[in-house]
Structure formats: structure tokens, C-alpha cells
């Protein structure tokens, strides 16, 4: 029998490698790299109080607040992700944190919208042509989201499927740094065309209850496309809206969304643990359920163009 050594035992793998030969630790995730043009950097400084020299300091401050005040909040802490919320609230740390909490609270509170949220799950909505993003931005650089409510047939699927498709589209848009103002996304204008007379009456009733700056972003054009063209040039609009950019094509945007399937699976199709540290509750609009139906007056609204920046 061999004599047992008094020296400490080591595993074979450790014994076979010297200290300098140990496997390196996994690499750190890549940090934020600004992709904004000089023009947009200047615009962010003027409109959002974003200073490039303080940007990462501000992101770290928000990250520290999340860890201290919401330690159980299951959220990404990546630079680019947190930067969305800082920009949406003009780098006000407290308001950015509240927006982040509300964002996750909404996702937990409305499972029929956010569970299994991925492009392949809303193929019926995409195939119907209910929504698309126009290929050209407006003169301010805003993306134009085109929604056509008349394409929705309530007997085919519930209204929440439309909401899911809209949410996926907005999430995809804000992956581009140029659009990270709010939702972080901000709606710059809502142009409604071919709306029925009852819609104008309903809007006149609710308008006094809207904030002035929000109310001023709604434009009801009726059948007057010339009115629409004073806000959105014909060169970026499809033929269906009196434009010169060819016929409306929904297949291109559908392909963009479907190609992002894996990204959305990672973000929205993982188990979400409960969180007791929610600062505020964000609930679905009152009275809206998964089997909510839409009457003929709503479906008669032929299309809406949302100009998003």
C-alpha cells in the first residue's frame, strides 16, 4: 500500500494546471456603444438633457437605484436597456425608475397580452394587414406606424391579439437607438383618416380630459387627404393615402418582425418570478378583457397613422 501524503488534496483538473493556466473567466457583456449621429447627439442634449460625457454615469446611477430600491425586480440592467428609460424621462432618475417598474408591472398584470409574446404567436394579425410600419420616415425622422382597424374581424381573434402585435412592433422600433424617446417611446402625432362621424363626437367628449399637449397631437382628417398631406408628405405615403411611394406593402415589416423571433423569445417567453417590491401598479384599461369585442363604429375607422419618434 502506498503511503498517504499529508499535503492537501487537489482535484485532477486543478493539479494538472498551474495557476497561470486556469481557464479565463467568462467575458463581461459588451458595454454601451453610441450609434447616434452628431445631429441626434445634439438633439438629445437639447431635448432630453442627455450629456454624452455623463451618460454612463447616469446609467450606473439608475442601475444602483434598481438594486437598492427594487432588489427583487427581474429586469435587464444592461446599459442600453436602462438608457431607454432615462431618455424617456429626460434623465430624471426617480421618474425613470418609476417608468421601469411600471413597465414590468404592466407585463405581469396583463398576462393575456405579454405571456408568450413573440411574432409567430400573432401571425393571424400580421397576415390580416392590421398594422405595418411604412418604409420611409417623416421629415423629422419619425417612424410611421399604420393601423387599419377595418382589417380586424372580431370573430377571428380577440382584440388583445391586436394589442400584442402593436406592442411587438413598438418594441422592435425602439431597438434602434434613434427611436428611444419613450415607452420608452413617444407618439409625436396620431393622424386619423376616413373616421366615421360618431368618432368625431366621441373624441370631442374625451378631448377636454386629455393633457393639452396630448390632445394637440391628434389630427382627424376625414376623407380629406390634402389635409393629411400638410402633415405627412406624399413622397413617404403609399398610394392608398394619396402618396407616391407605391402600394402599401405589409409583407416587408412582417418579415422584419418574424426574423426577430429569437430576440422576443428571450425577452418575453421566460418565466417571470413574482416581485413584492413594485412601486406602482399598471393595469390594463378598465373594461377591456381578452374577449372584448369591437362594434361596427370602431371597425369603421379605416386607418390611423401613428408617427412615432
Amino acid at each position: 500500500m502506498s503511503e498517504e501524503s499529508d499535503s492537501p488534496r487537489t482535484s485532477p483538473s486543478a493539479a494538472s494546471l498551474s495557476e497561470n493556466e486556469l481557464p479565463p473567466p467568462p467575458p463581461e457583456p459588451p458595454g454601451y456603444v453610441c450609434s447616434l449621429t452628431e445631429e441626434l447627439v445634439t438633439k438629445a442634449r437639447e431635448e432630453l438633457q442627455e450629456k454624452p460625457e455623463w451618460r454612463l454615469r447616469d446609467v450606473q446611477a439608475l442601475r444602483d437605484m434598481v438594486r437598492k430600491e427594487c432588489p427583487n425586480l427581474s429586469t435587464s440592467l444592461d446599459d442600453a436597456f436602462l438608457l431607454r428609460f432615462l431618455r424617456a424621462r429626460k434623465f430624471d432618475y426617480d421618474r425613470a425608475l418609476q417608468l421601469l417598474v411600471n413597465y414590468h408591472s404592466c407585463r405581469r398584470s396583463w398576462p393575456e397580452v405579454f405571456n408568450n409574446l413573440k411574432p409567430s404567436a400573432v401571425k393571424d394579425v400580421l397576415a390580416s394587414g392590421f398594422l405595418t410600419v411604412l418604409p420611409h420616415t417623416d421629415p423629422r425622422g419619425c417612424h410611421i406606424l399604420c393601423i387599419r382597424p377595418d382589417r380586424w374581424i372580431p370573430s377571428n381573434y380577440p382584440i388583445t391579439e391586436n394589442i400584442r402585435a402593436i406592442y411587438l412592433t413598438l418594441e422592435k422600433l425602439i431597438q434602434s437607438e434613434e427611436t428611444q424617446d419613450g415607452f420608452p417611446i413617444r407618439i409625436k402625432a396620431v393622424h386619423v383618416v376616413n373616421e366615421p362621424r360618431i368618432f368625431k363626437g366621441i373624441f370631442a367628449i374625451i378631448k377636454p380630459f386629455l393633457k393639452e399637449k396630448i390632445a394637440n397631437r391628434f389630427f382627424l382628417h376625414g376623407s380629406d387627404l390634402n389635409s393629411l398631406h400638410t402633415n405627412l408628405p406624399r413622397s413617404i405615403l403609399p398610394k392608398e393615402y394619396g402618396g407616391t411611394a407605391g402600394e402599401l406593402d405589409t409583407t416587408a415589416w412582417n418579415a422584419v418582425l418574424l426574423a426577430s423571433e429569437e430576440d422576443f423569445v428571450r425577452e418575453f417567453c421566460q418565466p417571470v418570478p413574482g416581485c413584492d417590491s413594485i412601486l406602482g401598479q399598471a393595469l390594463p384599461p378598465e373594461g377591456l378583457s381578452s374577449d372584448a369585442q369591437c362594434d361596427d363604429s370602431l371597425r369603421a375607422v379605416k386607418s390611423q397613422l401613428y408617427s412615432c419618434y
Side-chain angles (χ1 to χ4, degrees), residues 49-117:
Q49 288 77 56
E50 177 177 345
K51 299 181 179 180
E53 62 273 21
W54 291 356
R55 186 186 290 128
L56 294 183
R57 182 208 66 176
D58 294 334
V59 168
Q60 185 60 47
L62 179 57
R63 183 182 293 116
D64 292 341
M65 289 179 68
V66 173
R67 288 170 172 164
K68 180 180 179 180
E69 300 183 28
C70 303
N72 298 322
L73 185 65
S74 179
T75 184
S76 169
L77 295 176
D78 292 348
D79 292 349
F81 181 78
L82 294 179
L83 192 55
R84 295 184 190 179
F85 296 87
L86 286 167
R87 285 172 170 160
R89 291 298 178 261
K90 298 185 177 181
F91 284 77
D92 182 315
Y93 297 164
D94 292 328
R95 294 177 64 224
L97 177 61
Q98 184 64 64
L99 179 63
L100 175 63
V101 169
N102 288 347
Y103 171 83
H104 286 287
S105 179
C106 182
R107 286 176 56 173
R108 280 185 294 272
S109 301
W110 209 357
E112 60 266 40
V113 169
F114 293 100
N115 283 357
N116 194 39
L117 185 61

Side-chain angles (χ1 to χ4, degrees), residues 44-45 70 147 192 235 294:
R45 183 188 292 272
C70 303
I147 297 178
V192 185
S235 60
C294 180

Side-chain angles (χ1 to χ4, degrees), residues 224-242:
D224 183 6
L225 293 182
N226 289 327
S227 172
L228 173 66
H229 299 156
T230 62
N231 294 273
L232 296 173
R234 296 179 62 199
S235 60
I236 66 173
L237 293 174
K239 178 181 176 181
E240 289 81 351
Y241 301 110

